[in-house]
Amino acid sequence: MAIAAISLWAIYQRRRRLQERLESRDALRRAAQELDATIAVRTQELRVANQALEGKYVTLQQTESLLRSTQNELVQAGKLAMLGQMAAGVTHELNQPLAAIRAFADNAVQFMRRGQLPQVEENLEHISGASAHMGKIIAQLKGFARKSGDAIAVVDVAQTVEAAVLLLRNEFRQQAVSIEIDVRSPVQVMGDVVRTEQVLINLLRNAIDAVETVEYVADKRVTVIVEHEAGEAVIRIRDSGPGIPDEVAPHLFEPFFTTKPSGKGLGLGLAISSSIVQAMNGRLSAHNLPEGGAEFIVRLPAPAPDPASAIHGDIIDRTRHPD
Ligand SMILES: Nc1ncnc2c1ncn2[C@@H]1O[C@H](COP(=O)(O)OP(=O)(O)O)[C@@H](O)[C@H]1O
Ligand SMILES: [Mg+2]
C-alpha cells in the first residue's frame, strides 16, 4: 500500500517536472520570438535612419563642393578686379623701361653710324637690362593672372613678399611711401604661391591707402616683417597710417565692406585674403599698434626651419627700399 502510494507520488512528480519543462520551453520560445520581432523592428528603424543619414551626407558633400567652387570663383573674381586696379600702375612700370629701350636703341643707331662701337655696346647692355626688368614684371603678372586651383607647393615667404612689393613698386613710388622688408628668419610654407602673393598685395595696397592721409612724406611708412614663430610663418604688415577705427574693426573682413570712395575700394580685399589664408590653414588678424598705425598679421603653418639655413641662428636682414 505504502509502495503504491510512493510510486504514484513519483509519477505525479515526474509529470509535474515534465509539465514545468514544457512550460518553460514555451516561455523561452515566446521570449525568443519577441526578441526576434524587436530586433527586426530595430533593424528596420536603423536602416531607415542610416538611409536618411546617407542622404544628408550626400547633400552635405554637394553643399561643400558648391561652397568650395563659389569660394574659388570669388577668389578669382577678386584677383581679376585687383588686376584691373593694378593695370594703370603696371602699365606705367612697363612704359618706363620701354621708353628707355627706345632711346638707347635710337642712340645706338647714331653711335653705329659714327663708328663709336664701345658706346653701341654700352647701349645694347642697357637695352638688355631694361628688357630683363620688363620680363620680370611680366612674369609676375602672368603668374598672378593664371587661374590657380589648388597648386600646393613650397612657398618661400620672403621671396613672395618681394614679388608682391615689386608689383606695387609704382604705387609705393607715386604715393611717396617707403617700404621696408625685414626678414628676421627665412621661412617656407606649403601653399599656393600666387594666392599667397594675392593676400600680400591686398594688405600692402590697404597699407598704402592707409598712409595716404599722413601729412609728412617722411612719415609714410610700410614695414613688412617675416619671421618664424612656434611652428608658424608670421608676416606682419605695419603701416604708419591712422589705424583701424573702432567702428570699422568688427566689419574688416566682411565682403563688400569698404570705407573708400566708390571706384577705389571694392571691399573684397580682406574678405578674399582671409578666405585664402584660412584655406591654407592659417589666420589673418589685425590690430592697431601702440605707436599708431595698423598691423595686419598673416599666420601660416610652417614646419621648423631647415637647420642648415640657420646654422649660427643669425638674423638675416634684407631691409631694402625700392628706390
Ligand atoms: N591698413 C589699414 N588701416 C586702416 N584701415 C584699414 C586698413 N586696411 C583695411 N582697412 C579698412 O578695411 C576696409 C576693408 O578693406 P578691404 O577689404 O581691403 O576693402 P577695400 O580696400 O576695397 O576698402 C577698408 O575700406 C578700410 O576701412
Ligand atoms: Mg583693399
Side-chain angles (χ1 to χ4, degrees):
M1 187 65 192
I3 293 171
I6 289 168
S7 67
L8 260 178
W9 174 245
I11 290 169
Y12 169 74
Q13 283 289 336
R14 211 178 307 142
R15 282 229 183 107
R16 238 188 82 176
R17 274 204 300 276
L18 199 68
Q19 183 71 23
E20 275 172 7
R21 217 178 295 151
L22 283 175
E23 278 171 7
S24 62
R25 198 188 297 159
D26 276 354
L28 210 64
R29 197 176 298 140
R30 274 199 307 277
Q33 279 168 349
E34 273 167 25
L35 196 67
D36 279 351
T38 315
I39 288 175
V41 170
R42 288 278 148 78
T43 310
Q44 181 58 20
E45 280 172 4
L46 264 177
R47 201 170 290 141
V48 170
N50 212 26
Q51 275 169 358
L53 210 64
E54 270 172 23
K56 276 188 190 148
Y57 183 62
V58 169
T59 318
L60 193 72
Q61 274 182 326
Q62 284 169 345
T63 316
E64 199 189 320
S65 99
L66 183 71
L67 191 72
R68 192 165 303 140
S69 72
T70 314
Q71 197 186 37
N72 278 343
E73 294 295 315
L74 186 69
V75 168
Q76 183 66 5
K79 204 161 76 175
L80 293 180
M82 231 161 57
L83 264 184
Q85 284 182 346
M86 281 190 327
V90 170
T91 314
H92 179 82
E93 195 70 4
L94 288 177
N95 258 334
Q96 274 185 333
L98 191 66
I101 286 175
R102 194 176 304 136
F104 283 128
D106 289 348
N107 290 348
V109 172
Q110 300 298 330
F111 285 133
M112 195 125 106
R113 284 193 186 131
R114 290 188 217 143
Q116 292 173 294
L117 286 187
Q119 277 85 347
V120 173
E121 189 182 337
E122 201 179 300
N123 277 23
L124 288 178
E125 272 164 11
H126 283 313
I127 290 173
S128 172
S131 52
H133 177 67
M134 289 175 80
K136 236 165 143 184
I137 295 170
I138 291 167
Q140 291 294 338
L141 272 182
K142 254 165 73 181
F144 184 75
R146 173 189 102 208
K147 184 163 186 172
S148 55
D150 303 301
I152 303 299
V154 175
V155 177
D156 184 289
V157 174
Q159 261 176 27
T160 314
V161 169
E162 283 181 14
V165 167
L166 185 75
L167 276 175
L168 290 173
R169 238 169 71 131
N170 193 53
E171 268 87 342
F172 277 110
R173 198 181 300 140
Q174 268 184 352
Q175 307 288 326
V177 180
S178 77
I179 166 79
E180 190 180 299
I181 305 173
D182 183 1
V183 181
R184 295 186 179 170
S185 47
V187 54
Q188 294 179 328
V189 297
M190 288 306 288
D192 183 321
V193 66
V194 178
R195 292 196 172 176
T196 312
E197 207 175 294
Q198 185 177 355
V199 170
L200 295 173
I201 290 178
N202 270 322
L203 298 176
L204 289 167
R205 267 192 155 280
N206 282 347
I208 295 173
D209 289 343
V211 297
E212 197 180 2
T213 51
V214 173
E215 203 174 342
Y216 297 108
V217 170
D219 293 337
K220 293 184 174 196
R221 288 185 311 272
V222 174
T223 311
V224 185
I225 298 165
V226 176
E227 56 195 334
H228 193 268
E229 212 179 81
E232 284 181 326
V234 184
I235 313 168
R236 300 173 191 276
I237 288 120
R238 293 181 178 164
D239 64 64
S240 60
I244 304 153
D246 284 347
E247 65 276 16
V248 166
H251 308 289
L252 267 187
F253 300 101
E254 282 173 16
F256 301 107
F257 174 83
T258 181
T259 55
K260 296 171 193 173
S262 80
K264 186 154 192 199
L266 291 171
L268 278 176
L270 289 177
I272 291 174
S273 299
S274 101
S275 86
I276 293 176
V277 172
Q278 274 172 29
M280 289 170 78
N281 297 318
R283 281 170 295 149
L284 174 62
S285 60
H287 66 116
N288 287 328
L289 294 165
E291 66 269 28
E295 179 180 67
F296 281 76
I297 308 174
V298 182
R299 290 175 190 276
L300 296 168
D306 181 1
S309 62
I311 286 173
H312 310 293
D314 52 354
I315 289 169
I316 297 176
D317 190 343
R318 286 204 267 156
T319 301
R320 42 125 91 179
H321 299 259
D323 281 323

